[in-house]
Amino acid sequence: MQHTWIILGATSSMARATARRLAKEGAVLLLCGRDMDDLSATAHDCLARGALKAEALRFDARDSATFAPIIARAIAEDGTLNCAVFVGSMPEQSAIDADPTLIDGVVQDSYIGPATFLSLLAPHLEERGQGTVVGVTSVAGDRGRIGNYVYGSAKAGFATYLSGLRNRLTRAGGHVVTVKPGFVDTAMTWGIEGMFLVASPDAVAKDILKAVHKKKNVIYTPFFWRYIMLIIRLIPEFLFKKLSI
């Protein structure tokens, strides 16, 4: 059966690595983002790796007018319709503290835009009675921390949205995988101090597709972040608010 994948935020390292792996499976890839030159280069690369089709489409989480054309293109394909969301933005918390208007962009990129797109796509997945949504959130959404609590709160909201969407689509034969990466070697994390146990984008992509094939609900990647975040969540609030983690 033909598999069509919409990949939102396809210029990110994790998305590119995931697209390359899907290309080897012979998928139809709709690579969506703002940098069309970058997307076109990835599309050519994916075609060379075995993708049935690979196209670059404009997507901007802050411009809802870009959503419908992508969905229209996707539903024109036969077979299973899937979507992977890698969208988000993370200014330094100090920059947000200095200019709180930056919050709007973080929430639009990391939650509102992706959730709106998936809400428009969901009826088509229900109609076909199959398909998978992959939503990439972050371990930062598990608990508000002083270094990135705006970004973390947006990702927490998106994770809650994905939980509800999973409940909805499961009834129609679809599925939703929530992905919570730890530190990954991407443009978003370059220059951040204090990072440890940094994963490669390809390792994360491998975990994502393994979770898709096994119909996992929620995964942490790499796996040990599940236990790291469990410890962080269990720290009492009176103590946690004194820590710089």
Side-chain angles (χ1 to χ4, degrees):
M1 178 184 292
Q2 177 178 303
H3 287 266
T4 298
W5 278 89
I6 302 168
I7 301 183
L8 303 183
T11 55
S12 79
S13 300
M14 285 188 290
R16 192 178 297 114
T18 302
R20 288 170 176 164
R21 286 182 171 269
L22 288 169
K24 293 178 181 179
E25 298 180 5
V28 173
L29 300 175
L30 303 180
L31 306 169
C32 309
R34 290 181 292 188
D35 188 336
M36 298 304 294
D37 290 337
D38 187 292
L39 294 171
S40 294
T42 301
H44 287 300
D45 181 38
C46 288
L47 287 170
R49 293 171 185 266
L52 183 61
K53 299 177 185 177
E55 300 176 17
L57 300 171
R58 185 173 179 272
F59 170 81
D60 187 338
R62 305 184 192 188
D63 182 4
S64 60
T66 65
F67 299 176
I70 296 170
I71 294 173
R73 175 64 190 87
I75 63 177
E77 293 290 335
D78 295 325
T80 304
L81 180 59
N82 311 281
C83 183
V85 180
F86 293 88
V87 183
S89 62
M90 187 178 68
E92 291 186 8
Q93 185 62 49
S94 59
I96 296 173
D97 293 341
D99 181 7
T101 62
L102 293 175
I103 293 174
D104 287 347
V106 175
V107 176
Q108 190 71 41
D109 292 339
S110 305
Y111 175 33
I112 296 175
T116 301
F117 183 93
L118 292 176
S119 294
L120 293 171
L121 181 65
H124 300 288
L125 299 177
E126 289 175 317
E127 182 180 355
R128 296 194 183 198
Q130 57 188 351
T132 299
V133 170
V134 173
V136 177
T137 63
S138 172
V139 297
D142 278 15
R143 190 164 191 179
R145 290 174 286 152
I146 192 169
N148 61 359
Y149 59 90
V150 169
Y151 172 75
S153 65
K155 286 298 189 180
F158 188 45
T160 300
Y161 171 84
L162 291 169
S163 179
L165 184 65
R166 178 163 46 248
N167 197 293
R168 172 184 174 181
L169 292 184
T170 297
R171 288 162 166 73
H175 188 57
V176 176
V177 181
T178 301
V179 179
K180 297 186 175 186
F183 295 130
V184 184
D185 186 14
T186 67
M188 184 180 287
T189 59
W190 288 342
I192 295 178
E193 296 181 358
M195 290 204 309
F196 58 96
L197 300 173
V198 180
S200 71
D202 189 62
V204 172
K206 182 179 179 180
D207 285 346
I208 288 173
L209 294 186
K210 182 178 179 180
V212 168
H213 294 315
K214 291 190 173 183
K215 291 189 177 295
K216 295 287 187 177
N217 295 316
V218 181
I219 67 163
Y220 287 77
T221 177
F223 73 93
F224 48 75
W225 278 97
R226 178 181 296 276
Y227 306 106
I228 293 173
M229 295 313 299
L230 175 61
I231 293 169
I232 289 176
R233 290 197 305 273
L234 289 175
I235 298 173
E237 191 70 17
F238 77 88
L239 178 60
F240 186 78
K241 66 185 182 181
K242 298 177 182 179
L243 301 177
S244 298
I245 61 173

